[in-house]
Amino acid sequence: MSRVKREYVVPAIDLNKISNEEQLLPVIKAILLNHDTFLLKNYANKESLDSLLNDLQYCPPPFDQGFDANFTGTLPLDDNNSNIYLEQYIFNPGDALQFDRDYDNVCLSRIQSRLSKVAHYFGLLCVKAFNHNDLNLSQLTEDNAFKLTRFYQAINERHTVSETNPLADILGISVNYNPEEQLQQEISESETIGGQYTQHSCAGLLSVYPSTVGIRYKPASVAADDNRWVPIQDDPTALVVHTGQLLAELTQGMFASSPLQIDIAANVVEVTMYPNLVVPLGQLSNNYRNDVTMATVLLEQQIKELPQVAKKFYNRQWSKQQLQERIIFYKKLFTTSETVLSLYAMSRGSTVAPKLDNLLPQMTNLMKRKITQQDFLRMISIWPQVYVLGSDSNHEITVQLPKRDVLASLTNHSRKLDFSEFAEKWFLQHSELNIIPLDVPMFKINKRRGSDNFESHGDWLKKDNHNDGIQQPLTRNYLSNNKDSYVTLSQDNSRNNSQSDLLQRLQEKERRSATLLQERQQKYQQFLTIKMKQVFNIIFSLQWNQPYTITHLKDVIVDSLQDSNNPIGPEEAEEVLMKLQSLQSDKISVKEVDGGLKVLRWKDLNRDQFEMALANFST
């Protein structure tokens, strides 16, 4: 049965049906309770505005003026050699910026004037809509600042979809092969037309766009971390109004604001309304510190969206922002890893520590982004004792929840809260350095052959009170005495004899244990050898010359053999697959992709040749 694609529609206000502000105010409030974007249809000066937009395409920005530390001027966006430029100006900044940038584009000036009036009128209505009695209305709606942003591309240089990698141009991102994710994603039909989209947030009260072309939004029913964007329905009679993050903060979450995606090749123009940039936002909302002004918030947003400018003028602030975003990511990753490890412990009921490679695909699915071993080890670096790290017989990293003290388990102190405190402390310490790191350093592990010794960066292993979460070097688990402990004077012969007998008994017990362990290992290898034929039949039945991830193959094998006399688990299934690959290396190939995930592919399998090779392997 085919799945019907849901159609998302941005709510619209028909201004022809509105006669006064009293009618408009409840409509806006009803819309903003569920949406952060709406359309204004039948705007009186829309035809004149469209004419200005058309003329603007033939008025290039002054390319030689450059881009300054106030994020104003003209900036080339030539990542794809598409000759696209960003032109931006800030009006009425007050004393917050040393603003001396001016422009003489009459067409752009008229567009800015008309859109600023629309932004001011509807910005005032949006503030009134949530009716906050403690809010000083004049601080938000008087002496406002405005930011005009324009993307420009010459008509004869319109962006076309790349022939070498069309999907990358469609989504506006680099596309890497990821076997653990679906090869095809659900995207709207208009996304296949082309476009070079960039994510854009409104840090002020609201933004106004004179056209619906080249804008995608995130519907209210879509999760904030879901990478799904829907184009605004084409309506030549409508303006687009998008509420900003400041309005969401002031309403204490009553209204929301999510980013938009802008097609930089569609000549989009935008005007954003702010309070006066010197207004201290701490006086308006408890979500801001007292020393934070609108200029501070605007600067943070510009640093995030224009890193090429931020690196030049605000390198330290940009580095700090990058590090803060990584810390936020590691907090989310820790919450996910706690869930995955807890579910693993409950479902398996085994004390065997799972391999990290087996957990990463589940974390990837929950986080909705690729999680690699490097990401996990960087997270560990923030709190090295958070998990017990080890290695299995193949020297693969294993991870396990640490054993908690009985008294500690009776408290309400959350591990998530502990990690958050460690992360904040780590960020505060490193954000004050002369050179701020852009990421958390990786937790270094030295896996020596025949040993499970783990070595981390730094000197924390030297401290006894910090060794709870790390597996210590293996030591002998039996008693042993050196020669001097039982070679004594002749008058102590009786004691020597008893010590000698004890040593012999211990040595005999050790020999029996070693023999028993060897027998168990031999039986286990025989068990795997028997399973090799069953696993070969399974992969023989699958489609040849296709890539299969090790995770997918393990699930197929475990499910196929779960009703047999001797079912196997994921670890045994992986060992059998690797044995098969080693036995038939000329027909079964294995490769590792990002994150250490193994991908197998086979062709020209022959049952008779396999049985002959298996017989020789068994003997």
Side-chain angles (χ1 to χ4, degrees), residues 18 31 37 86 102 127 132 228 259 384 396 585:
I18 301 295
I31 290 176
T37 306
L86 169 68
D102 200 0
V127 172
H132 201 301
R228 178 188 290 184
E396 298 288 340
S585 58

Side-chain angles (χ1 to χ4, degrees), residues 533-545:
K533 186 173 182 179
Q534 297 177 347
V535 173
F536 177 84
N537 292 331
I538 292 174
I539 66 173
F540 188 87
S541 64
L542 298 176
Q543 188 174 359
W544 294 5
N545 204 24

Side-chain angles (χ1 to χ4, degrees), residues 181 190 284 329 352 444 565:
E181 296 180 351
S190 64
L284 303 178
F329 164 70
V352 178
K444 297 180 181 178
N565 294 331

Side-chain angles (χ1 to χ4, degrees), residues 136 141 159 182 198 220 258 317 324 357 365 424 461 513 558:
N136 189 339
T141 59
H159 176 73
Q182 295 180 354
T198 181
S258 60
Q317 291 91 325
Q324 189 173 29
D357 286 345
N365 292 334
E424 291 298 331
L461 273 178
S513 299
V558 171

Side-chain angles (χ1 to χ4, degrees), residues 338 350-353 383 385-389 399-409 415 467-471:
E338 287 285 278
S350 173
T351 58
V352 178
W383 183 12
Q385 299 80 34
V386 67
Y387 294 122
V388 178
L389 298 182
V399 58
Q400 202 170 20
L401 290 168
K403 295 181 179 179
R404 297 195 64 185
D405 182 72
V406 177
L407 294 178
S409 63
R415 278 169 53 85
N467 289 338
D468 297 337
I470 295 296
Q471 181 172 319

